[in-house]
């Protein structure tokens, strides 16, 4: 069948990926990082069922063409043309409706002087679907929800959080106290549109300040399980060296992952003005010399940092739609 690659589009989500003619659609979707439900991979369980809306597809079990309008099993289908499929099990960014879950606390450990790594287990994990880069809320009794980025990949069984609980952040400290003393906690997830539904076709620029690194970890862990081959550059800004709580992990990524580069940006210890460090981080990103017309940017940090970075990159030639951050949703400009 050759090495021809065909574009496959899922409806109603609009999610797209490419499939080689000699690969089944389920494997091609998984290689692109798209979570299509499956169990058997031999056409029996019917979990990967879709309906052919347009294009030419082949049933690899009986070597017969699949008529438009017919249902198919993605694990037993190959693309012979660009395809449009109807499959409701794949959701676009932000379309997974948040649901409430009760999670068991597996571990709470200190990463540095005020950041904790929290590991949570969901008894109904198979019922949860989220995308890399999304976030959740921890809901304690008689308290406002507290929102944290999910630091783990959607393929992981447990949920990982990085929670900064300094003495002046009473709400976060209350969450840590509850997680440390309790056996379970109420969550609502997923939230957020600044995420990856599938592996992008452009190089990636990831920019994090402080515990914004958690969102970037979810993205990197997710991409490691796909066929993504574009360059990835991570900038991580912090006030002090000790605030970069998983610097060794980012350095290990740089050694292990082809095309991945990590640039830490640490402010001077004598300068406690966080806005100054934001400017320093933005200047470092601008100096990277990337082709701003062909890159996708994910940013996580305070509204001040995110909007300063966005304005600078758009002025440098970045298309506004290529800049993704949850800040644009929860703290929109008036």
């Amino acid at each position: 069948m050759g090495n021809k690659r065909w574009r496959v589009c899922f409806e109603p989500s609009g999610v797209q990926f490419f499939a080689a003619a000699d690969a089944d659609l389920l494997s091609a979707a998984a290689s692109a990082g798209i979570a299509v439900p499956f169990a058997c991979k031999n056409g029996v369980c019917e979990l990967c069922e879709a309906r052919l809306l347009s294009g030419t597809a082949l049933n690899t079990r009986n070597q017969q063409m699949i008529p438009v309008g017919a249902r198919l099993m993605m694990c037993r289908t190959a693309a012979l043309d660009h395809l449009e499929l109807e499959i409701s099990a794949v959701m676009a960014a932000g379309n997974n409706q948040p649901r409430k879950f009760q999670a068991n606390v597996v571990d709470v450990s200190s990463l540095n002087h005020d950041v904790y790594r929290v590991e949570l287990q969901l008894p109904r994990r198979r019922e949860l679907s989220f995308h890399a880069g999304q976030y959740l809320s921890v809901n304690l009794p008689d308290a406002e929800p507290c929102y944290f980025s999910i630091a783990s990949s959607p393929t992981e069984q447990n949920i990982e959080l990085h929670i900064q609980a300094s003495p002046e952040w009473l709400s976060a400290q209350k969450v840590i106290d509850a997680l440390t003393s309790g056996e379970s906690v109420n969550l609502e997830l997923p939230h957020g549109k600044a995420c990856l539904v599938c592996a992008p076709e452009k190089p990636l620029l990831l920019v994090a300040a402080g515990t914004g690194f958690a969102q970037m970890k979810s993205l990197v862990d997710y991409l490691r399980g796909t066929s993504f081959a574009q360059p990835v550059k991570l900038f991580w800004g912090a006030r002090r060296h000790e605030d970069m709580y998983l610097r060794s992990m980012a350095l290990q990524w740089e050694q292990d992952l082809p095309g991945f580069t990590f640039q830490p940006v640490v402010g001077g210890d004598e300068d406690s003005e966080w806005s100054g460090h934001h400017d320093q981080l933005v200047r470092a990103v601008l100096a990277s010399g990337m082709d701003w017309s062909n890159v996708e940017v994910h940013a996580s940090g305070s509204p001040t940092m995110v909007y300063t970075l966005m304005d600078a990159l758009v002025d440098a030639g970045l298309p506004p739609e290529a800049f993704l951050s949850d800040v644009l949703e929860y703290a929109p400009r008036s």
Side-chain angles (χ1 to χ4, degrees):
M1 295 184 182
N3 295 321
K4 182 69 177 179
R5 297 170 73 242
W6 303 107
R7 177 180 282 106
V8 181
C9 180
F10 287 156
E11 295 295 347
S13 66
V15 173
Q16 299 185 29
F17 64 101
F18 286 90
D22 57 357
D24 67 84
L25 297 183
L26 181 63
S27 297
S31 182
I34 301 171
V36 176
F38 73 91
C40 67
K41 285 191 175 181
N42 60 16
V44 175
C45 74
E46 299 188 350
L47 290 179
C48 65
E49 179 180 319
R51 189 167 68 91
L52 181 62
L53 299 179
S54 67
T56 305
L58 177 72
N59 183 322
T60 59
R61 169 170 284 173
N62 58 24
Q63 297 300 306
Q64 293 183 358
M65 308 303 291
I66 300 173
V68 171
R71 72 188 190 107
L72 55 84
M73 302 305 137
M74 291 182 56
C75 64
R76 289 296 182 178
T77 302
L80 302 182
D81 194 357
H82 301 306
L83 302 181
E84 185 178 2
L85 303 177
E86 181 181 55
I87 178 168
S88 59
V90 177
M91 303 298 291
N95 287 352
N96 275 331
Q97 292 301 310
R99 298 175 56 191
K100 290 180 170 60
F101 293 86
Q102 186 174 61
N104 297 323
V105 180
V106 176
D107 183 60
V108 179
S109 57
S110 176
L111 291 173
N112 70 356
H113 58 285
D114 64 357
V115 177
Y116 296 84
R117 179 187 179 275
V118 175
E119 184 179 357
L120 303 173
Q121 181 186 58
L122 273 65
R124 295 181 292 147
R125 178 65 179 88
R126 291 189 64 179
E127 299 179 19
L128 169 64
S129 175
F130 70 93
H131 299 308
Q134 291 193 293
Y135 61 96
L136 56 72
S137 68
V138 176
N139 302 326
L140 301 181
D142 303 319
E144 291 294 316
C146 291
Y147 296 93
F148 304 102
S149 292
I150 301 172
S152 44
S153 166
T155 61
E156 296 295 324
Q157 287 301 306
N158 290 348
I159 300 292
E160 179 181 343
L161 307 177
H162 301 165
I163 299 179
Q164 186 173 19
S166 56
E168 63 269 21
W169 292 350
L170 298 180
S171 59
Q173 187 60 59
K174 186 175 180 180
V175 169
I176 289 297
D177 292 342
L179 294 173
T180 303
S181 61
E183 296 182 354
S184 64
V185 63
N186 292 320
L187 309 176
E188 184 176 272
L189 70 159
H191 295 283
K193 299 179 180 179
C195 54
L196 290 178
V197 179
C198 59
E201 298 179 23
K202 295 180 180 180
L204 274 184
L205 173 65
L206 310 178
V207 185
T211 52
F213 176 79
Q215 184 179 29
M216 305 310 157
K217 179 181 177 297
S218 176
L219 297 176
V220 173
D221 283 350
Y222 161 77
L223 290 173
R224 293 172 68 180
T226 73
S227 59
F228 185 68
Q230 295 284 353
V232 180
K233 191 170 186 66
L234 168 65
F235 286 83
W236 188 6
R239 294 183 184 182
R240 300 178 300 271
H241 286 284
E242 55 265 34
D243 293 334
M244 204 162 286
Y245 54 89
L246 282 177
R247 180 172 179 151
S248 60
M249 176 179 287
L251 290 171
Q252 191 64 47
W253 289 341
E254 192 169 41
Q255 291 185 27
D256 295 343
L257 305 179
F260 182 91
T261 55
F262 168 53
Q263 183 167 338
V265 180
V266 181
D269 290 346
E270 73 284 353
D271 179 8
S272 62
E273 289 299 322
W274 187 221
S275 61
H277 298 312
H278 284 164
D279 293 338
Q280 183 182 358
L281 179 58
V282 172
R283 287 195 301 270
V285 173
L286 285 172
S288 64
M290 301 189 72
D291 178 5
W292 300 117
S293 66
N294 184 44
V295 66
E296 182 172 307
V297 179
H298 290 253
S300 183
S302 72
T304 299
M305 184 280 279
V306 168
Y307 283 116
T308 301
L309 177 66
M310 183 180 71
D311 291 343
L313 295 185
V314 170
D315 287 345
L318 179 76
E321 64 272 14
F323 187 93
L324 303 175
S325 176
D326 290 319
V327 166
L328 307 184
E329 184 180 356
Y330 73 74
R333 283 172 165 165
S334 56

